[in-house]
Amino acid sequence: MICIPITASTTDEAIRDMKKGAEIADILELRIDYIRDLDIAKLIKEKSKPVIVTPRSQKEGGRFKGSEEERAGLLREAVRLGAEYIDIEFSTDERLRKGVIEESRGTKVIVSYHNFTETPSDIKELYDDIAISGGDIIKIVTFANSINDNLVIFDLIKGHEKRKDIISFCMGRHGEISRILSPIIGGYLTFGSLEEGKESASGQIPARVLKSVYRVDRLGQEINIYGLVGNPVSESMGYLIHNLAFAELDLDNIYLPFLVEDINSFMTGFKGLFKGLSVTMPFKEEVIDLLDGIDKKAEDIGAVNTVVVKDDKLVGYNTDCSGAIMALEDRTEIKGKNAVMIGAGGVARAIGFGVKGRGGILTITDIDTDKAISLSKDIGCKYCNPDELGNISMDIFINTTPVGMYPDVDRSPVPDSLLKEGMIVFDAVYNPIKTRLLKEAEAKGCITIPGVEMFINQGVAQFEMWTKREAPVDIMREIVLNKISA
Ligand SMILES: NC(=O)c1ccc[n+]([C@@H]2O[C@H](COP(=O)([O-])OP(=O)(O)OC[C@H]3O[C@@H](n4cnc5c(N)ncnc54)[C@H](OP(=O)(O)O)[C@@H]3O)[C@@H](O)[C@H]2O)c1
C-alpha cells in the first residue's frame, strides 16, 4: 500500500491535500504536528481514505512541541473520532504508550522507531523489543549511509516471520530503493509524497511515481530486479524507460536507481538479488574485474554499460557501442567511409571501436591531444589536431564532446564551414534533442542523427538482453522525447 503524509500547516490546507492525496494513496498520514490551528475532529470527518494520525515528537524528527501527556491525549482523541491508525513512538514513556495501546479499541496502533544517523546492524533485536511492547504494526525507519544498508532492512522485512505487520525502509538518498521495494517484498506500506516539496522525510519519492512508474501496489514478491549502478543516478531517464516498458509488456520486473560509492561491496552484497544492471559513470571500467565474463566488443572497448545474469554468472556488454552503430547504420553504410570524431572520452571510445569494427576510416580529435593520440592508438586509427579538421575529407562527422549540451545550448564543437551537403552528422549529445551542431548541419543539407537515437538504442538493447522480449521501442522513444522536452 502507498501512504501519503499530509504535511500542510493549517487544517483547511490539510483537508485540500487529503482530497488530492486520496486520488493516489491507499492511506493518508495526518502529520498533525505540522498543523498550527489543529482541528482534529474536522480532519477526521473529511477523510475519504483510512488515516494514520501522527503527532511526531521533535526528538523523532517531528514538530510537536507539547508535553508527552498532550501527545497521548491527541492519540486518544483520534481513536475516539474513528481514526483507522495511530502512530506512537517506541521511545514514548512506557506507561503512556501502554495506556494508549490499551485504549485503542478498533484503531490499529503503529509503534514506531526512527534513527536519523544510521542503520544499526542489530535491528532484529530492536524488532523483538518493539514486538513485545504491544501495538499492531511495527515501524522501523533508519538512515542509509550506503546502498548496502538497505540489505539490513530487506532481511528484516523478509525474516520477521509475520509475527506482526511491519513498515520498514531507509531514509536518505541511499535509501530510495527500500522505499520502493519494501511494500513489494512484504512490508505493510511505503510512504510517498503528495508532490515534490511536500516530503515528510528525506528520500521520499512522489507517490504518483511509486504507483505509475514503479507499480509498488501491483508487483508481487516474485519479481526480477534490474537497475542502474552509478553515482550520480538521479538524472538518468533509465528508471522511466525500463519500468514503463516492463509495464507495457506486463512483466513482473522492476528497475531501481542504485546510488553506489563502492562498486565492489555493492556487487558482493547485492549478487543474487538482481537479474541485470545498467552501469554508468564512474563504474564502467571498474565493474569489469567484478564480472564472470565479458563480451568481446566490451572487452576491446574496455568499458561495460550492461550486465546480464546468465546461469548465475555476471556477463558484461557495451550497448553504447551497438546503440551508436545502429543509429549510424540506419542512415548510412560505414564501411569505407571517412569518419571524423571529436572528443576522446568514454563515449568516443565506445563509438570509435564500433566505427572501426564496421570498416570506417576513422580520425579522432580532441582539445586534449594526448588523449586523442592515446585513444587512436587503442582503436588503431588516425588522430589530428582540432585546427586541422578543415584539411580532412569527411563523410561522417561525430561529436562526442559535451559541447552544445544543456544549458550550454548556443555552442557547437566545430564551425559550420566544416559541414558540407550530404555529410552524415551525428551528435552524441541528447539534451537538447536538436543541438546547435545539428541545426547548422541541417541548414547545410547534411543528414543528421540526434544523440537520443543512440540513447534509445542502447536502452532497447539492454531491455531485450534482459527480458529476451522485443522492446516496445515506440513507447520508450516517446518517454525519452517527452522527458527531454519537459
Ligand atoms: N547519446 C547517448 O546515449 C549518450 C550517452 C552518454 C553520453 N552522451 C553524451 O556524450 C558526451 C560525452 O560523454 P563522455 O562520457 O564521453 O564525456 P568525457 O569522457 O568527458 O569526454 C568528452 C571529451 O571531449 C573533450 N572535449 C571537451 N570539449 C571539447 C572541445 N571543444 N573540442 C574538442 N574536445 C573537447 C573532453 O576533453 P577534456 O577532458 O580535456 O575536457 C573529453 O576528452 C556527454 O556530454 C553526453 O552529452 C550521450
Side-chain angles (χ1 to χ4, degrees), residues 280-281 284 319-320 323-324 342-349 351 365-369 371-372 386 399-406 411-414 426-431 450-459:
T280 189
M281 287 196 317
K284 286 185 182 182
T319 67
D320 287 332
I342 187 162
V347 168
R349 207 174 167 80
I351 300 180
T365 187
D366 192 287
I367 31 173
D368 183 336
T369 311
K371 244 171 141 177
N399 172 42
T400 68
T401 76
V403 177
M405 187 168 75
Y406 180 83
R411 290 182 63 212
S412 172
V414 283
F426 172 23
D427 197 341
V429 171
Y430 59 80
N431 186 9
V452 74
E453 295 291 327
M454 169 183 166
F455 181 77
I456 293 163
N457 289 344
Q458 62 81 29

Side-chain angles (χ1 to χ4, degrees), residues 181-192:
L181 276 189
S182 68
I184 298 173
I185 63 173
Y188 192 72
L189 59 76
T190 189
F191 293 88

Side-chain angles (χ1 to χ4, degrees), residues 29-34 52-65 71 87-90 110 112-114 116 139 141 191:
E29 182 187 39
L30 305 181
R31 284 295 300 266
I32 58 174
D33 53 310
Y34 277 64
I52 304 171
V53 173
T54 305
R56 179 74 66 236
S57 68
Q58 288 182 320
K59 70 172 183 295
E60 299 251 357
R63 299 185 180 179
F64 189 80
K65 290 198 180 98
R71 225 151 55 87
D87 178 311
I88 188 160
E89 290 143 17
F90 183 54
I110 300 169
S112 61
Y113 164 88
H114 304 85
F116 291 92
K139 179 182 177 195
V141 180
F191 293 88

Side-chain angles (χ1 to χ4, degrees), residues 295-366:
D295 163 73
K296 171 83 174 70
K297 180 66 75 192
E299 190 174 16
D300 289 345
I301 297 166
V304 158
N305 79 324
T306 307
V307 176
V308 182
V309 179
K310 289 183 179 170
D311 303 325
D312 293 333
K313 300 264 185 281
L314 307 181
V315 185
Y317 296 86
N318 192 308
T319 67
D320 287 332
C321 175
S322 54
I325 297 307
M326 261 175 81
L328 275 167
E329 288 185 336
D330 274 351
R331 312 294 205 289
T332 181
E333 198 186 342
I334 299 172
K335 194 170 173 32
K337 298 272 169 65
N338 290 307
V340 172
M341 183 163 67
I342 187 162
V347 168
R349 207 174 167 80
I351 300 180
F353 272 98
V355 169
K356 176 81 199 279
R358 285 294 208 267
I361 304 155
L362 180 66
T363 305
I364 294 173
T365 187
D366 192 287

